[in-house]
């Protein structure tokens, strides 16, 4: 980048030049950089720092480069170090002299911070849209299987019957919080650093609020040193991405387990399953395993970013260049994982007979029998003890809980009546959980409707 080296008497060593260049990662930032420069040029014109005719040339030139970028014709050259100098060079080729005024009252330090903020904002929009699409898909599958009952689990042991839809909606809630996290991160991302210069601000009469407004950033930096060194928004994006990846991984793991022969709750179509090079019968749900695996690489990007930041002394440091790859990689990986999850779930069948059979294990209704006794006035702890004894008796005598006679039951508690046998019904068990947020059909139907209203 000889253009900036007039004070130097030697060329930059070739290996060093390649090493310090950020053009590879900057490919992702070209459009953001051009948007930022267009806003900056408009501000320079507005503030009388460039003439209207220079502004016109700069604007037309930048717009031409934007077109070239969109059609893949604008290639970054490592010799120009980064996207910023590549744009300036190309602009000079197109419009000549006027290009030399674009960088007035600006440094690459505030410029790159702005580019990254614009890029993160765009990625937040992409991720939030995909999160919504995934939620919609989950609600759709929940509605299609609204009467399906399955075992709810704690410790991966059968606990109490729940609606299959209720289980899917639990993931919808987690993805809702993820969306909120991205939207809250967006508030702190939409703060324009432009006008901070290299770190001190400028003696020229700039108007940072004007640029911020053009870029639809509601806020402007308060401190020029902070403006060029703050990458908190990247950390927040990566944390939100990591937690979303965690939820995706939990969803993937859950579906993988449910699709095993041992559970047999769901099946995936051939369009999303792979097979073995050795065992021709194998049908593996590899895409979900990779979604689960990708969480690791997204966490890695968060850690990489935090470690890059932690040792930095106050001010702009070139290490900050390394804050770009984590967000570029993680956002792409996350978007891919979300898309894959949507496709896989679209190719999923629920085997209601299997989930019902598993949910109909009479021991899963033990808590319903406890609550039956509580309704008759038995203190909860006593009722719990009574059921423990009934279960022990049934197990020791090799009798299913539901096959004990009323007479046998009465030996443990006189409060048991004929109507107790109606409790061995998984669907009824789920339906009776009418308490706030419980798994009753009424609650789940309301929840599905409310999610649909919010998502559409
Ligand atoms: N290429 C750098 C980056 O991507 C911006 C350039 C700032 N360079 C400098 N020497 N101040 O972060």
């Amino acid at each position: 980048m000889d253009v900036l080296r007039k004070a130097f008497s030697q060329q930059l060593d070739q290996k060093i030049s390649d090493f310090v260049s950020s053009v590879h990662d900057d490919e992702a930032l070209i459009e953001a950089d051009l948007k930022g420069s267009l806003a900056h040029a408009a501000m320079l014109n507005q503030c009388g720092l460039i003439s209207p005719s220079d502004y016109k040339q700069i604007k037309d030139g930048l717009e031409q480069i934007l077109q070239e970028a969109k059609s893949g014709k604008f290639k970054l050259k490592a010799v120009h170090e980064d996207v910023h100098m590549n744009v300036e060079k190309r602009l000079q080729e197109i419009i000549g002299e006027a290009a030399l005024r674009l960088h007035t009252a600006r440094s690459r330090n505030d410029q790159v911070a702005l580019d990254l903020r614009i890029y993160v904002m765009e990625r937040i929009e992409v991720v939030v849209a995909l999160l919504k699409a995934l939620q919609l898909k989950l609600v759709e599958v929940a509605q299609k299987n609204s009467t399906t009952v399955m075992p709810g689990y704690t410790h991966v042991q059968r606990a109490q019957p729940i609606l299959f839809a209720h289980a899917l909606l639990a993931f919808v809630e987690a993805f809702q919080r993820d969306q909120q996290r991205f939207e809250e991160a967006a508030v702190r991302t939409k703060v324009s650093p432009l006008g901070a210069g290299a770190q001190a601000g400028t003696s020229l009469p700039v108007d940072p609020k004007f640029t911020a407004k053009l870029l639809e950033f509601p806020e402007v930096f308060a401190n020029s040193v902070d403006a060029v060194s703050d990458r908190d928004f990247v950390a927040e994006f990566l944390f939100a991405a990591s937690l979303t990846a965690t939820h995706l991984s939990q969803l993937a793991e859950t579906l993988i387990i449910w699709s095993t022969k041992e559970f047999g709750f769901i099946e995936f179509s051939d369009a999303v399953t792979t097979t073995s090079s050795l065992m021709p019968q194998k049908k593996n749900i590899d895409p979900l395993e990779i979604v689960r695996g990708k969480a690791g690489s997204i966490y890695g990007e968060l850690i990489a970013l935090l470690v890059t930041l932690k040792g930095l002394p106050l001010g702009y440091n070139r290490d900050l260049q390394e804050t770009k790859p984590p967000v570029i990689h993680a956002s792409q990986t996350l978007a891919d994982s979300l898309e894959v999850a949507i496709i896989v779930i679209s190719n999923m069948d629920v085997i209601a007979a299997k989930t019902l059979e598993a949910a109909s294990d009479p021991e899963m209704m033990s808590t319903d029998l406890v609550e039956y006794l509580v309704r008759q006035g038995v203190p909860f702890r006593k009722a719990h003890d009574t059921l423990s004894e009934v279960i022990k008796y049934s197990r020791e005598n090799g009798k299913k809980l539901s096959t004990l006679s009323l007479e046998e039951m009465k030996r443990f508690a006189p409060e048991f009546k004929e109507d107790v046998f109606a409790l061995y019904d998984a669907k009824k068990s789920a339906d009776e959980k009418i308490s706030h947020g419980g798994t009753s059909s009424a609650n789940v139907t309301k929840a599905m409707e409310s999610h649909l209203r919010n998502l559409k």
Side-chain angles (χ1 to χ4, degrees):
M1 208 185 35
D2 298 339
V3 66
L4 300 180
R5 299 175 62 81
K6 299 256 159 75
F8 293 2
S9 48
Q10 278 185 302
Q11 276 210 329
L12 188 60
D13 176 274
Q14 187 56 47
K15 181 71 199 175
I16 301 293
S17 167
D18 292 343
F19 187 70
V20 301
S21 160
S22 60
V23 288
H24 178 72
D25 303 313
D26 284 357
E27 291 287 342
L29 299 181
I30 296 175
E31 287 186 26
D33 193 73
L34 289 162
K35 266 191 210 169
S37 283
L38 278 162
H40 182 65
M43 184 279 291
L44 293 176
N45 177 51
Q46 174 74 16
C47 296
L49 285 161
I50 56 173
S51 70
S53 79
D54 280 348
Y55 172 52
K56 168 100 180 56
Q57 288 185 62
I58 291 174
K59 183 170 177 285
D60 291 349
L62 290 172
E63 274 163 2
Q64 182 183 324
I65 302 174
L66 194 57
Q67 286 319 309
E68 292 172 0
K70 283 186 173 152
S71 57
K73 274 189 257 156
F74 181 54
K75 295 269 174 275
L76 301 184
K77 296 178 188 144
V79 52
H80 298 324
E81 200 172 311
D82 52 32
V83 61
H84 324 300
M85 295 314 297
N86 268 274
V87 168
E88 193 172 307
K89 279 279 172 193
R90 177 73 190 119
L91 188 64
Q92 209 181 333
E93 279 170 21
I94 302 171
I95 67 168
E97 279 280 306
L100 305 180
R101 297 188 185 275
L102 172 62
H103 210 53
T104 307
R106 185 174 69 172
S107 156
R108 284 179 295 163
N109 299 352
D110 56 347
Q111 188 177 3
V112 73
L114 175 68
D115 289 6
L116 197 49
R117 284 173 185 271
I118 293 174
Y119 179 77
V120 168
M121 276 312 304
E122 287 167 358
R123 300 312 290 171
I124 286 177
E125 277 165 28
V126 168
V127 168
V128 166
L130 284 169
L131 273 167
K132 286 201 168 115
L134 174 58
Q135 286 181 303
L136 249 166
K137 182 53 68 185
L138 286 166
V139 176
E140 211 178 284
V141 178
Q143 279 193 317
K144 236 196 266 162
N145 299 278
S146 61
T147 58
T148 301
V149 191
M150 67 175 291
Y153 294 85
T154 63
H155 316 269
V156 207
Q157 305 289 340
R158 287 178 182 172
Q160 295 164 289
I162 58 171
L163 289 186
F164 182 82
H166 196 56
L168 291 192
L169 292 192
F171 287 108
V172 173
E173 294 293 339
F175 292 128
Q176 187 63 34
R177 293 191 295 277
D178 291 331
Q179 253 178 70
Q180 283 168 3
R181 253 182 295 275
F182 279 112
E183 278 157 5
E184 284 156 13
V187 173
R188 282 175 293 278
T189 303
K190 281 191 277 187
V191 178
S192 177
L194 212 56
Q199 49 91 49
T202 170
S203 63
L204 298 169
V206 292
D207 184 356
K209 287 198 178 125
F210 184 85
T211 6
K213 202 161 168 215
L214 284 182
L215 293 165
E216 294 176 30
F217 276 23
E219 298 286 332
V220 173
F221 71 95
N223 176 299
S224 58
V225 177
D226 179 50
V228 294
S229 51
D230 171 19
R231 293 295 185 278
D232 293 2
F233 64 100
V234 180
E236 288 193 53
F237 176 87
L238 291 174
F239 174 69
S242 294
L243 202 50
T244 305
T246 304
H247 296 144
L248 276 173
S249 180
Q250 291 173 339
L251 172 65
E253 168 65 2
T254 300
L255 297 181
I256 289 166
I257 291 188
W258 289 355
S259 72
T260 58
K261 282 261 157 59
E262 283 69 15
F263 279 75
F265 293 173
I266 52 176
E267 279 172 10
F268 292 103
S269 81
D270 294 351
V272 295
T273 43
T274 53
T275 189
S276 155
S277 60
L278 178 76
M279 304 165 284
Q281 88 284 8
K282 286 305 295 290
K283 203 172 158 177
N284 302 325
I285 186 67
D286 288 23
L288 287 182
E289 294 172 58
I290 297 176
V291 165
R292 192 176 56 191
K294 290 283 188 197
S297 86
I298 294 176
Y299 300 167
E301 304 295 359
L302 171 63
I303 299 302
L305 185 272
L306 292 172
V307 175
T308 297
L309 296 181
K310 78 170 276 294
L312 296 185
L314 182 64
Y316 176 86
N317 296 277
R318 191 65 180 268
D319 316 44
L320 291 173
Q321 185 164 297
E322 291 305 306
T323 63
K324 293 185 284 186
V327 70
I328 295 168
H329 298 157
S331 68
Q332 192 53 52
T333 305
L334 184 62
D336 288 343
S337 297
L338 284 163
E339 267 186 79
V340 165
I342 294 167
I343 296 170
V344 169
I345 292 167
S346 308
N347 281 276
M348 179 177 92
D349 277 325
V350 183
I351 317 300
K354 280 286 224 172
T355 60
L356 178 63
E357 188 195 330
S360 300
D361 171 354
E363 287 200 2
M364 289 187 67
M365 272 54 97
S366 301
T367 313
D368 297 302
L369 270 71
V370 171
E371 289 181 0
Y372 173 93
L373 291 178
V374 167
R375 269 194 293 273
Q376 320 288 316
V378 180
F380 173 80
R381 183 53 61 216
K382 263 189 92 178
H384 184 278
D385 283 352
T386 300
L387 255 297
S388 303
E389 282 163 16
V390 177
I391 290 163
K392 186 170 183 224
Y393 171 84
S394 85
R395 286 176 182 168
E396 281 175 1
N397 291 277
K399 293 183 181 176
K400 258 186 157 185
L401 194 59
S402 53
T403 63
L404 298 184
S405 67
L406 183 58
E407 192 253 301
E408 282 171 303
M409 298 284 285
K410 273 184 179 295
R411 270 187 240 150
F412 297 94
E415 289 85 355
F416 284 124
K417 306 271 150 53
E418 193 59 49
D419 60 353
V420 73
F421 296 103
L423 297 180
Y424 296 112
D425 178 334
K427 180 82 180 49
K428 179 176 151 73
S429 167
D431 253 350
E432 286 184 349
K433 305 301 183 302
I434 53 170
S435 61
H436 176 87
T439 188
S440 72
S441 297
N443 280 348
V444 173
T445 303
K446 258 211 252 154
M448 289 189 293
E449 281 165 4
S450 134
H451 281 304
L452 281 184
R453 262 198 312 279
N454 295 336
L455 290 167
K456 284 186 174 161

